[in-house]
Amino acid sequence: MVINRRAVNSPGPQGRGGTSGEFSRKLCRLDMAEAEIVEGCRLPVLRKNQENEVEWPLAEILSVKDLSAKKLFYVHYIDFNKRLDEWVTYDRLDLKKIQFPKKEAKTPTKNGLSGSRPSSPEREVRKITELILPPAAAPAGGGKSLPVPKRKVEVVSPATPVPPAPETTQASVFPQTQTTDLLMLILFVISVQNGASRRPSAPAVPAGRKRKSNCLSADEDSQDSSDGIPSAPRMTGSLVSDRSHDDIITRMKNIECIELGRHRLKPWYFSPYPQELTVLPVLYLCEFCLKYLKSLKCLQRHLTKCNLRHPPGNEIYRKGTISFFEIDGRKNKSYSQNLCLLAKCFLDHKTLYYDTDPFLFYIMTEYDSKGFHIVGYFSKEKESTEDYNVACILTLPPYQRRGYGKLLIEFSYELSKVEGKTGTPEKPLSDLGLLSYRSYWSQTILEILMDLKTETGERPQITINEISEITSIKKEDVISTLQYLNLINYYKGQYILTLSEDIVEGHERAMLKRILRIDSKCLHFTPKDWSKRGKW
């Protein structure tokens, strides 16, 4: 064996490759390194970004498997979203910078079993940090609250410089702001000089940290920066689920491909479909009842028996080819559970699978000659003690970046208007959901401010309460949006709202592109009092 290696692979003692002994030692080191790669190791992994550029981000090995006489490694890129996780081959690993996991001390658990397992370097650092800093000592991440005015509201001269608003980050998206009556009054200042409307410029909001990805198309609002605000999608953040139930199984994608109607979808995250279906190359779904089947033949046989051509519920909205169906999670349990399983493939934080009784589902569909095809949906609790009007919201990947995300959000607030309530989405939002809601809130509030006029020619005034009542957006979301846009300032005992020309022009461009809108005249919806219905 040594003679063959020397004859074929080694150029000899005088060649650049060295002696056969050196070559054998290199092979042994490579074989040992490959054998030592275990779950929890961290090392740079080769990948290509959207510009097809090569990069070596740090990644964690989550699983190792042997396939066709070669090893495959399932990696999670650190500081990247989990939707980019993938199986890679050995040649894409940089073994020179490998970090091996440390063994935890064996401690007995309640069941009497050992609680030891390999831990990544991140777990070790987190554990040390928790010992040094107790949770109560952690600084709050909320935005800076608005000061209480101590003087009577006065008119500010247009030439008076306005102090810049504090910079806001994702941690201050939902600040705990005191919304008393003293905080409600805002002066909407537009200076007029030489007959032209001029708006004092506000400091630009710095764009957040970007991560480039080659994943499936993101939400249609996530890449749209035409509304005058930075909207680059973050590949980290709230899409990562709570670590309390984040085990090694749920961290890995288990479905390779889903065929839904005329579309084939590549899942982003784990979904608890039956184990025997996860080994199939393609999982087939009926696009009308969402039943999952193991083969194309089974799907064809099912379609001959399935009578549905639309979601099994009441159609409460139709305009053009767009329809909305309301589905009760108790009356249509099978469809609701299948919908949750499908949605879990694209929502990492979603935990609802089977207990669908307390929820209503609103399915958005697109109509053609073959039936009503699902585009997206949102769910909401029948009774919410925290004024949530959305629990989960999703636009399926084939329909993203086409305006359907904002249409779902607008429809949820249209329902809140009919109910006579203000609403807010359930927290935490996913990264794409946060961007979509920020964009919708910004456009909706700016649309109201731009339309403000007074008959006497004085500067128009509006309160936070009035904005909330008009839009059904909760007060905290209105305030956080104004802070995010750097529009709200405090000067000489009063609040002033300043719009820069860039914000106004960006908003006008975005509204020109926003073709899909909800028409309240096409909505046929009667709210129900679920508190009187016992078990619904």
Side-chain angles (χ1 to χ4, degrees):
M1 197 64 170
V2 175
I3 296 175
N4 290 337
R5 280 182 178 174
R6 180 175 182 181
V8 176
N9 298 319
S10 177
Q14 296 179 353
R16 290 181 295 175
T19 63
S20 62
E22 293 177 353
F23 183 77
S24 299
R25 285 193 293 273
K26 291 180 181 178
L27 286 178
C28 291
R29 283 197 297 269
L30 289 175
D31 293 339
M32 290 177 61
E34 184 175 357
E36 291 175 355
I37 297 178
V38 295
E39 297 174 3
C41 287
R42 290 191 174 190
L43 72 171
V45 178
L46 173 66
R47 71 181 298 272
K48 291 186 177 181
N49 56 27
Q50 286 180 329
E51 283 75 23
N52 208 28
E53 298 172 349
V54 173
E55 57 184 8
W56 291 85
L58 184 65
E60 180 180 354
I61 305 293
L62 299 184
S63 182
V64 182
K65 71 177 181 180
D66 293 315
L67 184 64
S68 301
K70 67 176 181 180
K71 281 191 175 182
L72 293 178
F73 306 89
Y74 191 86
V75 298
H76 165 65
Y77 299 102
I78 308 301
D79 293 333
F80 285 72
N81 193 275
K82 287 168 59 177
R83 72 171 72 97
L84 302 180
D85 296 359
E86 59 181 337
W87 289 98
V88 301
T89 54
Y90 177 76
D91 55 353
R92 292 175 57 181
L93 308 179
D94 185 3
L95 300 176
K96 297 178 182 178
K97 300 179 181 180
I98 189 171
Q99 304 173 22
F100 292 101
K102 297 179 181 179
K103 288 283 186 179
E104 295 182 0
K106 293 187 177 181
T107 55
T109 61
K110 293 181 179 180
N111 300 329
L113 301 175
S114 172
S116 64
R117 65 184 180 100
S119 63
S120 65
E122 180 184 10
R123 298 192 188 101
E124 295 294 326
V125 174
R126 189 186 302 118
K127 197 178 302 177
I128 295 173
T129 306
E130 290 174 354
L131 291 176
I132 298 175
L133 293 176
K144 190 175 181 180
S145 61
L146 301 176
V148 178
K150 299 180 181 179
R151 302 176 55 182
K152 186 178 180 180
V153 176
E154 300 175 355
V155 177
V156 181
S157 171
T160 306
V162 179
E167 182 178 323
T168 58
T169 61
Q170 184 172 358
S172 62
V173 174
F174 307 104
Q176 300 296 325
T177 310
Q178 298 292 331
T179 55
T180 61
D181 291 339
L182 292 177
L183 293 176
M184 292 299 105
L185 190 58
I186 295 178
L187 286 183
F188 181 68
V189 180
I190 300 180
S191 60
V192 181
Q193 295 182 2
N194 299 327
S197 177
R198 295 180 66 255
R199 297 164 177 83
S201 60
V205 181
R209 179 184 177 188
K210 296 182 180 179
R211 282 289 187 182
K212 301 173 183 178
S213 68
N214 57 359
C215 62
L216 288 172
S217 58
D219 196 299
E220 80 286 343
D221 302 320
S222 63
Q223 300 285 353
D224 182 13
S225 60
S226 59
D227 55 358
I229 60 175
S231 58
R234 281 168 41 94
M235 293 297 109
T236 60
S238 61
L239 205 64
V240 179
S241 60
D242 184 10
R243 292 283 182 177
S244 62
H245 60 271
D246 188 13
D247 55 29
I248 195 64
I249 297 177
T250 59
R251 291 180 70 185
M252 296 171 53
K253 304 172 193 176
N254 59 335
I255 305 295
E256 185 68 25
C257 182
I258 292 177
E259 183 171 304
L260 180 67
R262 61 180 180 270
H263 301 290
R264 282 205 170 188
L265 316 177
K266 185 177 180 182
W268 295 350
Y269 307 108
F270 170 88
S271 183
Y273 279 103
Q275 180 68 29
E276 60 271 17
L277 301 180
T278 60
V279 298
L280 301 175
V282 179
L283 179 62
Y284 295 88
L285 266 62
C286 172
E287 62 176 328
F288 300 113
C289 70
L290 301 183
K291 182 178 180 179
Y292 46 85
L293 303 114
K294 63 180 181 180
S295 68
L296 181 58
K297 187 174 182 180
C298 292
L299 176 62
Q300 292 172 347
R301 187 165 58 246
H302 167 78
L303 291 176
T304 61
K305 304 175 184 178
C306 184
N307 298 322
L308 285 178
R309 289 300 176 265
H310 59 79
N314 297 324
E315 186 179 10
I316 61 174
Y317 179 91
R318 181 188 290 189
K319 184 177 181 181
T321 59
I322 301 298
S323 294
F324 280 86
F325 291 82
E326 182 185 53
I327 293 177
D328 190 328
R330 182 183 68 85
K331 295 180 180 179
N332 300 280
K333 190 182 294 289
S334 177
Y335 181 90
S336 302
Q337 291 175 351
N338 289 336
L339 177 63
C340 290
L341 289 174
L342 173 62
K344 182 61 185 71
C345 292
F346 306 100
L347 295 174
D348 185 32
H349 65 288
K350 184 177 178 62
T351 57
L352 169 68
Y353 308 135
Y354 304 111
D355 185 18
T356 61
D357 289 12
F359 290 88
L360 295 171
F361 298 85
Y362 295 89
I363 317 298
M364 180 170 61
T365 63
E366 199 174 50
Y367 175 77
D368 63 13
S369 59
K370 295 183 179 179
F372 295 81
H373 308 280
I374 181 171
V375 172
Y377 89 103
F378 70 89
S379 60
K380 62 185 294 186
E381 291 179 287
K382 295 175 180 177
E383 290 184 280
S384 176
T385 58
E386 301 184 38
D387 296 329
Y388 291 144
N389 64 352
V390 166
C392 291
I393 184 169
L394 171 69
T395 305
L396 291 177
Y399 299 95
Q400 291 177 356
R401 297 179 58 84
R402 291 167 57 180
Y404 290 117
K406 278 198 183 77
L407 197 66
L408 281 167
I409 296 173
E410 186 178 2
F411 188 79
S412 69
Y413 281 106
E414 200 65 38
L415 296 181
S416 296
K417 291 178 184 178
V418 177
E419 294 171 349
K421 303 176 181 178
T422 59
T424 186
E426 188 173 324
K427 314 301 185 304
L429 289 168
S430 65
D431 55 352
L432 301 181
L434 174 62
L435 290 170
S436 297
Y437 266 95
R438 269 182 174 174
S439 181
Y440 172 80
W441 290 333
S442 301
Q443 292 180 7
T444 303
I445 294 173
L446 287 174
E447 194 172 22
I448 292 174
L449 298 181
M450 297 288 291
D451 293 339
L452 281 179
K453 296 178 182 178
T454 56
E455 297 178 357
T456 59
E458 298 179 355
R459 296 182 180 89
Q461 299 185 11
I462 193 169
T463 66
I464 298 289
N465 275 331
E466 291 172 348
I467 296 177
S468 180
E469 290 174 2
I470 294 172
T471 62
S472 287
I473 301 175
K474 206 170 183 180
K475 298 174 188 176
E476 289 79 5
D477 296 332
V478 174
I479 294 174
S480 68
T481 302
L482 294 174
Q483 290 179 330
Y484 173 75
L485 294 173
N486 279 343
L487 300 183
I488 190 169
N489 297 279
Y490 182 68
Y491 185 71
K492 289 187 177 181
Q494 65 181 337
Y495 296 108
I496 62 174
L497 206 59
T498 58
L499 293 180
S500 67
E501 293 182 359
D502 292 339
I503 291 289
V504 174
E505 292 174 359
H507 170 70
E508 291 173 349
R509 288 195 303 269
M511 296 309 292
L512 290 175
K513 293 182 179 180
R514 190 173 164 186
I515 301 174
L516 296 175
R517 300 297 298 269
I518 294 296
D519 186 354
S520 58
K521 297 178 182 178
C522 300
L523 177 63
H524 304 282
F525 171 71
T526 302
K528 300 175 183 178
D529 186 3
W530 296 101
S531 62
K532 299 179 181 179
R533 292 178 169 256
K535 296 183 178 180
W536 306 298

